Amino acid sequence: NAGVTQTPKFQVLKTGQSMTLQCAQDMNHNSMYWYRQDPGMGLRLIYYSASEGTTDKGEVPNGYNVSRLNKREFSLRLESAAPSQTSVYFCASKAANTGELFFGEGSRLTVL
Amino acid sequence: GENVEQHPSTLSVQEGDSAVIKCTYSDSASNYFPWYKQELGKRPQLIIDIRSNVGEKKDQRIAVTLNKTAKHFSLHITETQPEDSAVYFCAASIGAQKLVFGQGTRLTINP
């Protein structure tokens, strides 16, 4: 039981490049989330998916797109990376019975 | 929009003393208030949570209190130990699906 797995762990991009962060969970959770973490800003919600086939914007969706590929997988795409997107990105899934979020290990993205 | 304010941003206490972190929220419909602990370089993990029908909850050395009227909740850690050093985040539910997090508190336990 791996929990929530996200890749890559580290990535350096140049301004304007695109990339996709991958996330998968093996806990059969319906809801999945993408957060970004910046110093002094806490965890801010980018997008979430309440169930397979649905996605919704969070607090800071601009510059990102998501895909809920199936119940297990929820990916985050940066189409044209900007330095302001330098951050640590966390994927999470939610246990419906308790509301607890289970986070992945994080992906550190640097945009030059 | 909905937000959660967390204070203080940094907190340093002597080992064995107590630590208190406070949060306020804006959405009166929020009904779930978890606290997450993040050790350096690690992922956030749930340490305790409270729901709006309860005023206080305790788990060994940690406790959370909730004042719905004032829209604030607090984390209390007693008999602090070096392994309590971490960043702590409060959060409040927004609707059925979303959590909004506070800015975080870096807690340092001095030996």
Side-chain angles (χ1 to χ4, degrees):
Chain A
N1 189 338
V4 179
T5 304
Q6 56 180 107
T7 57
K9 288 187 171 52
F10 301 94
Q11 184 73 50
V12 179
L13 291 176
K14 294 180 180 178
T15 296
Q17 288 185 319
S18 62
M19 77 158 298
T20 299
L21 299 174
Q22 307 284 355
C23 176
Q25 52 92 11
D26 61 4
M27 295 173 281
N28 201 37
H29 291 163
N30 287 319
S31 301
M32 297 185 72
Y33 304 80
W34 277 104
Y35 286 90
R36 60 177 288 174
Q37 183 175 27
D38 303 292
M41 304 288 285
L43 293 153
R44 291 183 293 169
L45 182 63
I46 305 171
Y47 270 93
Y48 67 101
S49 171
S51 62
E52 186 179 352
T54 69
T55 61
D56 284 288
K57 296 178 180 179
E59 303 164 70
V60 288
N62 291 344
Y64 305 94
N65 285 302
V66 290
S67 296
R68 183 71 182 268
L69 305 170
N70 48 56
K71 191 170 186 178
R72 291 186 65 248
E73 298 172 288
F74 187 39
S75 63
L76 178 72
R77 182 161 178 84
L78 287 70
E79 290 290 352
S80 179
S84 60
Q85 295 178 304
T86 293
S87 188
V88 179
Y89 292 84
F90 284 97
C91 176
S93 65
K94 186 175 74 170
N97 56 341
T98 63
E100 179 177 358
L101 290 182
F102 292 84
F103 287 87
E105 291 184 298
S107 300
R108 183 175 294 275
L109 175 66
T110 301
V111 183
L112 302 175
Chain B
E2 301 89 356
N3 71 310
V4 175
E5 296 290 330
Q6 181 173 347
H7 298 280
S9 56
T10 61
L11 180 60
S12 183
V13 302
Q14 290 297 121
E15 183 178 351
D17 287 350
S18 296
V20 180
I21 302 170
K22 298 182 179 181
C23 291
T24 60
Y25 61 98
S26 60
D27 187 352
S28 56
S30 295
N31 60 9
Y32 174 61
F33 307 91
W35 287 86
Y36 284 79
K37 176 183 181 182
Q38 186 180 28
E39 297 177 355
L40 189 62
K42 301 289 182 64
R43 71 189 83 189
Q45 292 189 294
L46 179 72
I47 55 170
I48 195 168
D49 57 16
I50 192 167
R51 298 187 187 275
S52 58
N53 58 347
V54 175
E56 183 173 1
K57 185 176 179 181
K58 193 172 182 180
D59 183 3
Q60 298 181 35
R61 294 186 300 107
I62 59 173
V64 58
T65 58
L66 171 65
N67 184 328
K68 282 210 71 180
T69 303
K71 289 193 282 187
H72 69 70
F73 56 113
S74 301
L75 177 71
H76 305 252
I77 306 174
T78 59
E79 302 172 16
T80 53
Q81 300 169 3
E83 54 264 38
D84 295 329
S85 292
V87 177
Y88 292 81
F89 293 99
C90 64
S93 61
I94 305 295
Q97 290 296 335
K98 295 190 289 185
L99 278 181
V100 174
F101 284 83
Q103 297 88 343
T105 296
R106 182 175 299 280
L107 175 63
T108 303
I109 308 302
N110 301 309

